[in-house]
Amino acid sequence: THTHTHTRLVPAEPQHVGGERRCRPDYSPVSWREYFDRMEDVSAGPDANGDVYRIYTAGDDGPLLVLLHGGGHSALSWAVFTTAIGSRVSCRVLAMDLRGHGERRTMSFTALCAPLRATGPKANVIRACYGETPPPIVLIGHGVGGAIAVHTASNMVLPTATGLVVIDVVEGSATEALHSIQNFLKERPKSFKSMDHAIEWSVNSGQITNLESAKVSMVGQIKRSEVVEEAALDDPVGPVTDVVVEGNGESDDRSGDKDDESVYVWRVDLSKSEKYWDGWFRGTSNLFLACNLPKLMLLAGIDRLDRDLTIGQMQGRFMMQVLPPSGHAVHENKPEKVAEAVASFLLRHKLAEARRETSR
């Protein structure tokens, strides 16, 4: 049984704001174990020397929700959502790190899709984990992870796929937004003096506005680097949680202050993948509309709909819900709202059963 910690305040030097004394929020990282049951490195590929993918799983019954993160993020971005959805419906969760593939220096769409689309025994992660008869699968993706989910569902390489959920994935608006992404990447810090500092920046900059999510998610986005140099940003990325200390499994690698030379840098230099960006989303809208599975689209704003999707939505070809303004990382910033929408979708299409304690 897992106990789930939430954002907590710790004593600190009081800050005087308008004559009031306030405590500084606790920005220390939190272990994946607070949200998932297991972490595993899975080998998948056409031969015995397949690529290795890091996955996090939770739950033991119900449909399998395969969670695919957005560009530059990691499987840990789904941590808080995993707890939220598990409290609403009986389900299993498999969140995978899309960056753990062997072609670590390329982020082409083909390479990003490889862990789900490869065919043959143990060729893809699902078959490696569940064999030839996996449970019913619902693909859920955010950003480029949503595009991967759409292509995977359209290619019908997962015969037990029963549903598709995409979060803030719209081909037209995504393509238009690509130019502003490069400016954002140039403006963000290249390194952090501690993990706590990175989490604080994430919240204050608005990248992840939910502190609870930032405390577990940022662990998957940065890594310790003893030497600050350009080469550090080009290193192949390894498993995403090596910053969380081995041993007792808790995040006691909290600040990096033990070694003044220690800094943290981004695991992925996302700006170097710019040449692939257009290919990540090209054709996604029409593929989404053509997919015969029950479909749900969650958006952070109605202005994100492009023409094809607007027409499709008016024709009732998919379910759509616009969430309150919450930024691009909707599932991190508003995990309860997203879980409620996904649970309603699963129940409406009889893809999952409500938890007994929440059944009415």
Side-chain angles (χ1 to χ4, degrees), residues 32 39 44 51 67 76 81 126 148 157 163 185 209 212 223 228 236 258 266 299 305 343 352 359:
W32 61 268
M39 177 182 74
D51 295 326
L67 308 180
L76 295 178
F81 169 84
I126 305 301
I148 293 168
V157 293
L185 293 176
T209 58
E212 182 189 2
K223 62 180 180 178
V228 187
K258 297 175 185 176
W266 297 101
L299 296 176
L305 272 188
S359 298

Side-chain angles (χ1 to χ4, degrees), residues 35 86-88 101 122 189 199 210 238-239 276 287 289 297 355:
Y35 302 93
S87 69
R88 288 169 169 79
H101 49 71
K122 293 190 176 183
I199 293 168
N210 182 338
Y276 301 117
L287 278 178
L289 291 169
M297 174 171 284
R355 285 276 178 210

Side-chain angles (χ1 to χ4, degrees), residues 221-267:
Q221 293 188 52
I222 62 175
K223 62 180 180 178
R224 186 198 293 272
S225 175
E226 299 302 330
V227 180
V228 187
E229 57 184 4
E230 281 298 314
L233 300 175
D234 298 334
D235 286 346
V237 292
V240 302
T241 48
D242 52 8
V243 174
V244 176
V245 72
E246 286 72 38
N248 64 8
E250 295 301 320
S251 315
D252 53 15
D253 183 2
R254 291 188 175 274
S255 67
D257 292 337
K258 297 175 185 176
D259 182 355
D260 291 337
E261 297 302 315
S262 175
V263 296
Y264 291 83
V265 297
W266 297 101
R267 290 180 179 276

Side-chain angles (χ1 to χ4, degrees), residues 17-30:
V17 180
E20 298 179 3
R21 291 163 61 90
R22 294 185 181 180
C23 291
R24 174 183 170 82
D26 175 13
Y27 293 110
S28 57
V30 171

Side-chain angles (χ1 to χ4, degrees), residues 13 51 54 79 94 106 137 183 186 252 257 271 310 319 335 340:
E13 292 185 14
D51 295 326
R54 176 148 291 184
L94 185 155
T106 176
I137 291 171
N183 290 332
K186 289 176 182 175
D252 53 15
D257 292 337
S271 63
T310 299
M319 289 178 63
E340 189 63 47

Side-chain angles (χ1 to χ4, degrees), residues 157-170:
V157 293
L158 300 176
T160 61
T162 59
L164 172 64
V165 179
V166 296
I167 303 174
D168 225 26
V169 185
V170 175

Side-chain angles (χ1 to χ4, degrees), residues 72-90:
H73 290 261
S74 81
L76 295 178
S77 69
W78 296 101
V80 184
F81 169 84
T82 293
T83 298
I85 193 67
S87 69
R88 288 169 169 79
V89 297
S90 295

